[in-house]
Amino acid sequence: SIGVLNPVSIDNIKLVLDLRNMYVLGKVIIRDMGATMFNHIKIGATVDVRTGEGDTFDKKTRMAVLAFKKIPSPTKELTDRIEIDLVSSWYFISSTKTRAFMQSGTPMNVGNIVKDILDRDLDADRAFQLDINDTEDVGHYRYQLNVKSQDFLYDILKYGTIQNLPVFLYTDLSGTIRLKGLYDFIHGTLTTEFLPMIGEATYTDDSSQLKKEVITSYSFLSDVSRSS
């Protein structure tokens, strides 16, 4: 570990929420003063990102390093720049499994399967809360056959419905994984606090205050590492 980053080391932080993607995605660009950081960053290492408004940073979501690279400098600077791609850390928890989904021999609908998978797969990482709506689609016997859980979830989500409209599985900036229906968005039953746009919502800020608050929670420079 090389400790907590100095806020002045951060050039840019960007977070992206998208209802078509169940994970929060992010990108951070840092200046590696002294060229000492690069070899300590590890794929899968965790990053706690805090966000908020004004001086209040009351939301936290756990992310992890998905990829990183040095950014070539057009001049012979002594300070390297590193671009780090982030993803919700539960991306790395999902492993390849084979299992059947039923309750006491009864087929399960999409909402019940999503809750069952997340309850079991996230048991080792309680950084995330769950807010899974019941879906109204008819249950079917479904089998996850030697595929990763996120791929299986993507495959079955298209069969889930609430009020005969599609459902979305996404992670928000408060660290909550949510299964919600398009009906909830259309009829305003979801608060704007947890409402990413249907499409893509980008949160980016270069202010020193955001840098200062966010970086106090970074742990991606620790020795913790997980592989996919």
Side-chain angles (χ1 to χ4, degrees):
S1 173
I2 63 171
V4 177
L5 278 178
N6 187 322
V8 300
S9 299
I10 308 170
D11 278 350
N12 182 264
I13 297 171
K14 182 171 74 172
L15 303 176
V16 178
L17 287 76
D18 188 335
L19 288 182
R20 298 162 297 185
N21 191 327
M22 62 183 73
Y23 309 109
V24 177
L25 299 176
K27 189 182 297 292
V28 58
I29 297 175
I30 63 175
R31 278 174 282 147
D32 186 3
M33 299 177 182
T36 59
M37 298 180 188
F38 188 81
N39 291 332
H40 292 270
I41 302 173
K42 300 180 185 297
I43 301 297
T46 56
V47 182
D48 286 333
V49 178
R50 294 185 183 274
T51 57
E53 296 181 2
D55 295 329
T56 302
F57 292 80
D58 55 354
K59 298 182 182 67
K60 182 179 78 171
T61 190
R62 177 157 292 177
M63 305 186 75
V65 176
L66 183 63
F68 60 97
K69 65 181 181 181
K70 287 186 179 180
I71 302 175
S73 173
T75 61
K76 293 183 178 180
E77 298 178 358
L78 295 177
T79 301
D80 292 332
R81 297 171 75 232
I82 305 172
E83 179 180 285
I84 304 170
D85 292 325
L86 303 173
V87 65
S88 296
S89 65
W90 67 279
Y91 170 88
F92 287 96
I93 297 171
S94 182
S95 57
T96 299
K97 298 181 184 294
T98 295
R99 53 190 172 185
F101 293 92
M102 60 189 73
Q103 291 177 326
S104 303
T106 302
M108 299 166 66
N109 68 10
V110 168
N112 287 330
I113 292 175
V114 169
K115 188 174 189 306
D116 185 63
I117 288 176
L118 294 180
D119 275 339
R120 287 195 277 178
D121 287 9
L122 292 180
D123 187 58
D125 186 349
R126 285 300 174 186
F128 295 91
Q129 302 296 316
L130 298 180
D131 181 16
I132 308 300
N133 276 16
D134 293 329
T135 59
E136 299 167 356
D137 48 288
V138 176
H140 288 278
Y141 292 108
R142 292 189 169 96
Y143 304 89
Q144 181 179 349
L145 301 175
N146 198 34
V147 296
K148 284 193 171 185
S149 294
Q150 67 257 47
D151 295 330
F152 181 71
L153 287 171
Y154 276 124
D155 186 56
I156 67 169
L157 280 174
K158 59 180 174 285
Y159 302 111
T161 60
I162 295 176
Q163 296 289 327
N164 294 317
L165 291 172
V167 297
F168 301 94
L169 181 65
Y170 63 96
T171 308
D172 67 22
L173 294 181
S174 71
T176 301
I177 302 170
R178 302 180 187 274
L179 180 70
K180 300 295 179 184
L182 181 59
Y183 180 88
D184 297 314
F185 292 97
I186 293 174
H187 293 277
T189 55
L190 292 177
T191 64
T192 55
E193 181 181 6
F194 303 123
L195 178 61
M197 296 168 57
I198 297 177
E200 183 178 291
T202 300
Y203 298 75
T204 183
D205 197 315
D206 298 323
S207 72
S208 59
Q209 180 64 28
L210 178 61
K211 293 177 187 178
K212 178 180 178 182
E213 295 295 335
V214 170
I215 206 58
T216 58
S217 296
Y218 273 126
S219 59
F220 65 77
L221 298 173
S222 71
D223 294 327
V224 178
S225 178
R226 288 172 294 195
S227 62
S228 59

